[in-house]
Amino acid sequence: MSFNDLERGTYAQNTSSNPSTVANDEEEYRRTVQQVSRKVFQINASVANIRQLVAQLGTSRDTQRLRQDIHNKMEATRDLVKTTSTELKALSEYQHSNTGQQRRARRLEQQKLSGDFQKVLEQFQNIQRISAEVSREFVDRAKHALHPQDDDDDGESRPLLQQSRQVLELGVLDNDVEYNEALINER
């Protein structure tokens, strides 16, 4: 390469038609396609795993560890989705190939990968929604168990609850008194 080549622009033409550069671009493109394809498969497997774990929520297998596993797998999948999205966008940079037939083949391949990624992404978003709903239901049930109240929260229901509790406590006390009197009479 000389300065004359640079001035004439012949160096740029030579490098674009250089067989080793074209082969390197093709190799890099193939490697990126394989990475994206592998990651789409990993996301799909992760979504299936998360779906199985979410199915256990609200059952006897529901533990804090299960919830932590779901959270960790969702975070890992979310990161995988981000990197896959970035790599999928990088594939569009390889559209500038030499032949029209190669461009069409790459475009079709990218559209297929993009479509597969969109399907898996929709499944992941769906399982995230389901997990959030199940968790919300669990929290609502736990709150209700801790603070049992009637559905109508007008001011009248609270005194009625307190009054019914007092009646129950008095009934228990009366039973205790009767029991103790029976023990005394027996002696």
Side-chain angles (χ1 to χ4, degrees):
M1 172 178 90
S2 68
F3 289 106
N4 291 334
D5 290 338
L6 286 175
E7 287 178 11
R8 283 185 260 144
T10 55
Y11 179 71
Q13 291 173 350
N14 289 340
T15 58
S16 65
S17 63
N18 186 352
S20 65
T21 304
V22 172
N24 287 341
D25 284 347
E26 184 64 26
E27 183 180 321
E28 183 67 29
Y29 175 77
R30 288 285 155 218
R31 188 174 27 251
T32 306
V33 166
Q34 287 176 351
Q35 285 175 348
V36 169
S37 181
R38 191 175 318 112
K39 287 182 180 180
V40 167
F41 180 77
Q42 288 174 341
I43 293 168
N44 192 27
S46 182
V47 166
N49 191 333
I50 292 169
R51 184 174 290 120
Q52 289 175 344
L53 294 175
V54 167
Q56 296 176 10
L57 290 175
T59 66
S60 61
R61 295 180 181 168
D62 191 350
T63 63
Q64 184 60 32
R65 183 174 179 188
L66 174 73
R67 291 177 181 277
Q68 188 62 41
D69 285 347
I70 291 171
H71 174 74
N72 292 342
K73 289 184 188 309
M74 283 203 187
E75 286 297 317
T77 305
R78 205 171 285 123
D79 292 341
L80 196 56
V81 165
K82 287 179 187 177
T83 59
T84 305
S85 177
T86 303
E87 289 177 2
L88 197 57
K89 289 176 185 174
L91 281 178
S92 66
E93 295 174 9
Y94 291 102
Q95 284 293 333
H96 312 293
S97 59
N98 293 339
T99 65
Q101 184 178 7
Q102 191 176 25
R103 261 187 299 234
R104 282 190 298 276
R106 284 184 177 182
R107 186 173 42 243
L108 288 173
E109 192 171 38
Q110 289 171 13
Q111 287 174 348
K112 182 188 178 314
L113 278 174
S114 181
D116 292 345
F117 178 67
Q118 287 298 322
K119 287 177 187 175
V120 170
L121 185 60
E122 287 172 9
Q123 291 174 356
F124 179 59
Q125 291 168 341
N126 186 30
I127 198 65
Q128 281 181 310
R129 271 191 297 277
I130 292 170
S131 175
E133 289 172 6
V134 170
S135 295
R136 210 173 299 121
E137 288 174 6
F138 175 78
V139 169
D140 290 344
R141 275 188 272 140
K143 282 182 182 179
H144 185 54
L146 289 176
H147 306 290
Q149 295 178 352
D150 292 338
D151 289 338
D152 50 316
D153 278 340
D154 55 0
E156 296 174 16
S157 66
R158 290 188 187 143
L160 289 176
L161 280 174
Q162 290 173 345
Q163 186 179 15
S164 65
R165 285 184 187 156
Q166 288 174 349
V167 168
L168 285 174
E169 289 174 7
L170 288 175
V172 170
L173 288 175
D174 287 340
N175 289 340
D176 285 344
V177 169
E178 288 177 12
Y179 177 75
N180 287 334
E181 288 177 353
L183 282 178
I184 292 171
N185 289 335
E186 199 175 291
R187 289 182 187 164

